[in-house]
Amino acid sequence: MSEFRVLGPLAVDSDGEGSVWLRTQMVRRLLAALLSRANSVVPADVLIAALWGEEAPASARKGLQIYVRRLRTALDTEQRIVHELGGYRICVAEDELDVARFARLVTAADAAGPERAADLLAQALELWRGAAFEDVRDHTPTADEARRLDEERVRVQTWHSQLQLELGRHAESIPRLTELTEAHPYREDLRGYLMLALYRCGRQTEALEVFRSTRRLLDEELGVEPGPALQQLHEAILRADASLDLQPRSAVTVPRELPADITGFVGRAEQLQALDELLPDSSPVVISAIAGSGGVGKTTLAVHWAHHVADRFPDGQLYVNLRGFDPADAPVSPAAATRRLLDSLGVAPQRIP
């Protein structure tokens, strides 16, 4: 299995045999453009723009064919780059592309508790080695995808910083937040997190200095004042407001994981009544299943009914998609589903066998 890495300078490793040497910058640009739309057909005109920008020669289509041949030779396979009507497609498995692994970890974090989410986001961020497509982002579509990924990286970094503060990891957050505010000086949310981390570490003076430097920067560069949220945080630090102290986390995690209900749900009255009858007043709830062929609406019915009776389950509601009929992905293993449920219930990782 090969590994394609675009979260930094473009790099390819082939089946444990070391790095693949891509001889010319044009071949690297071609690979980057294909990977920016991995497993989708990239029109020839788009690939030509990725190679030459607005200065494509009259022989660009012939040149594109030559570079495709050179790329296939470098990757040592004809099947990896497929010619289809109007363009080319690169075939990569999900585990072969660092962008896909990054997205999968971020998606998993979105469904996990704070500690697990922070760990997953840290793993996702470790995949980055620099700016996306750092050495091959000269032209579209690569440049557009690179900007999107860079912005997603900042979003995840901000989310991770927020979780670190929620978990009381203030001191270890300060160096990273300092780097982030230097790299993104106009991101007031990051500056606010840095102020809060400093304050909770007993460094009130430094927290106030962050606000003063932010105000100077915004005034000198943009002619504006800090936003209301940052100003309110500044005032709270001046007052040593107790609300800034780390709030104790609840000893009991109450998961609320039901997917959104379907607007305008109609019908299924008989089935809904049958489900209602499974809820006795005092005795334990009977574990039940809704049977039916794929696509008839079993999940929709279950989710709708679960919303209807959610108040009967004040300890929370769990949800896990086992992907039994997902053509794009394999079913979830029992071990993965169990771990997902334990994380949702707030079970500490060290307590999980």
Side-chain angles (χ1 to χ4, degrees):
M1 183 177 71
S2 298
E3 181 180 7
F4 297 88
R5 293 181 288 164
V6 302
L7 300 178
L10 179 65
V12 183
D13 294 323
S14 178
D15 298 319
E17 298 179 1
S19 299
V20 174
W21 183 39
L22 302 176
R23 186 180 301 271
T24 68
Q25 183 68 1
M26 296 296 273
V27 171
R28 295 174 64 80
R29 286 179 181 174
L30 174 60
L31 177 58
L34 290 167
L35 289 173
S36 73
R37 301 182 182 180
N39 297 312
S40 297
V41 177
V42 184
D45 289 344
V46 174
L47 292 173
I48 288 171
L51 290 172
W52 288 281
E54 297 179 357
E55 300 177 357
S59 60
R61 287 191 175 272
K62 182 63 176 177
L64 172 61
Q65 294 172 3
I66 293 172
Y67 289 125
V68 168
R69 187 162 59 248
R70 290 179 180 176
L71 178 57
R72 284 171 170 160
T73 300
L75 298 178
D76 196 26
T77 176
E78 291 285 324
Q79 289 73 35
R80 180 73 73 174
I81 312 295
V82 179
H83 178 253
E84 297 188 8
L85 183 63
Y88 294 88
R89 173 170 58 90
I90 187 168
C91 303
V92 295
E94 184 175 290
D95 288 340
E96 291 183 311
L97 185 60
D98 58 357
V99 169
R101 296 199 300 274
F102 173 76
R104 188 168 65 247
L105 288 166
V106 172
T107 299
D110 196 39
E115 290 190 11
R116 178 62 174 162
D119 180 56
L120 290 168
L121 294 181
Q123 294 178 45
L125 292 170
E126 286 175 0
L127 295 172
W128 288 76
R129 300 166 292 113
F133 295 97
E134 187 171 285
D135 55 343
V136 284
R137 52 193 295 165
D138 309 78
H139 308 295
T140 57
T142 311
D144 295 335
E145 177 65 1
R147 284 191 290 270
R148 185 193 71 80
L149 288 171
D150 287 345
E151 184 61 31
E152 176 66 1
R153 181 191 189 185
V154 176
R155 185 187 75 84
V156 172
Q157 288 171 326
T158 304
W159 180 13
H160 182 253
S161 298
Q162 178 185 3
L163 288 173
Q164 291 287 82
L165 295 181
E166 289 178 6
L167 294 168
R169 301 167 183 170
H170 313 117
E172 64 187 85
S173 298
I174 291 173
R176 186 59 182 147
L177 282 167
T178 301
E179 293 177 5
L180 288 172
T181 54
E182 291 174 353
H184 309 284
Y186 300 111
R187 292 290 298 248
E188 293 188 30
D189 48 359
L190 291 172
R191 287 181 173 264
Y193 291 148
L194 177 57
M195 290 169 60
L196 185 58
L198 289 166
Y199 175 80
R200 287 180 175 173
C201 288
R203 298 161 66 177
Q204 182 182 28
T205 301
E206 294 171 73
L208 294 172
E209 178 54 35
V210 171
F211 180 82
R212 285 192 291 269
S213 65
T214 303
R215 171 176 274 172
R216 282 195 304 270
L217 173 72
L218 296 178
D219 180 49
E220 294 172 0
E221 300 292 333
L222 304 176
V224 298
E225 286 286 311
L230 204 62
Q231 293 195 42
Q232 291 170 10
L233 175 60
H234 174 244
E235 293 168 2
I237 291 175
L238 287 172
R239 298 192 306 268
D241 197 307
S243 65
L244 298 179
D245 297 335
L246 180 64
Q247 302 301 311
R249 297 176 62 200
S250 172
V252 178
T253 299
V254 180
R256 309 289 185 189
E257 297 187 345
L258 294 180
D261 197 2
I262 301 298
T263 303
F265 183 95
V266 294
R268 302 287 189 183
E270 182 178 347
Q271 289 84 358
L272 290 170
Q273 181 178 352
L275 289 169
D276 285 338
E277 292 173 355
L278 295 174
L279 289 178
D281 292 332
S282 57
S283 59
V285 175
V286 177
I287 297 176
S288 305
I290 300 175
S293 57
V296 299
K298 301 185 299 297
T299 300
T300 300
L301 172 63
V303 169
H304 177 74
W305 180 75
H307 277 282
H308 177 67
V309 298
D311 61 333
R312 298 280 300 272
F313 299 89
D315 292 333
Q317 305 89 39
L318 296 171
Y319 176 86
V320 59
N321 181 359
L322 299 176
R323 295 201 297 263
F325 294 95
D326 188 342
D329 212 339
V332 176
S333 69
T338 303
R339 177 58 187 262
R340 162 78 173 77
L341 295 173
L342 291 173
D343 285 339
S344 298
L345 291 170
V347 178
Q350 60 269 24
R351 295 181 56 198
I352 299 177

